Amino acid sequence: RGDEIIERLMELCRKEHISSCTYSGIGGCGSAELQTFIPENHSFETRTLKGMLELVSLSGNVITDENDELYLHIHAAFAYKKAQ
């Protein structure tokens, strides 16, 4: 409870020397920052949701580049009830 998913995944990969992996998960969240890629202008639109978020699907991967920099890629689906 209260953990930031991306931060914890990256922390785990660094601690355990994981250079690439796939992952999946489910759970609950109090908020989520969502990004949608807009192909017309090659940018991301960001939106933050707060409320009762059920994380019904989480999947992604971690890769390492030639400079040993970790990169995370996530897809997630939420059931959502807006905060009152």
Side-chain angles (χ1 to χ4, degrees):
R1 177 167 265 171
D3 285 342
E4 206 282 324
I5 294 171
I6 294 172
E7 182 181 305
R8 292 293 177 241
L9 281 169
M10 298 300 274
E11 187 178 284
L12 176 66
C13 288
R14 287 185 186 99
K15 178 182 174 191
E16 300 297 330
H17 307 287
I18 298 169
S19 60
S20 68
C21 68
T22 60
Y23 54 87
S24 63
I26 59 171
C29 300
S31 66
E33 183 178 285
L34 309 176
Q35 290 186 328
T36 302
F37 183 68
I38 310 301
E40 293 79 20
N41 57 12
H42 303 284
S43 66
F44 286 90
E45 181 179 289
T46 302
R47 180 182 211 181
T48 300
L49 296 178
K50 293 185 181 197
M52 294 177 68
L53 295 162
E54 181 68 24
L55 180 56
V56 296
S57 175
L58 173 78
S59 65
N61 66 329
V62 174
I63 61 167
T64 304
D65 71 7
E66 61 276 351
N67 298 316
D68 291 328
E69 189 75 29
L70 290 172
Y71 290 92
L72 184 99
H73 187 89
I74 292 178
H75 287 265
F78 293 92
Y80 172 62
K81 178 173 177 159
K82 193 174 189 175
Q84 299 294 329

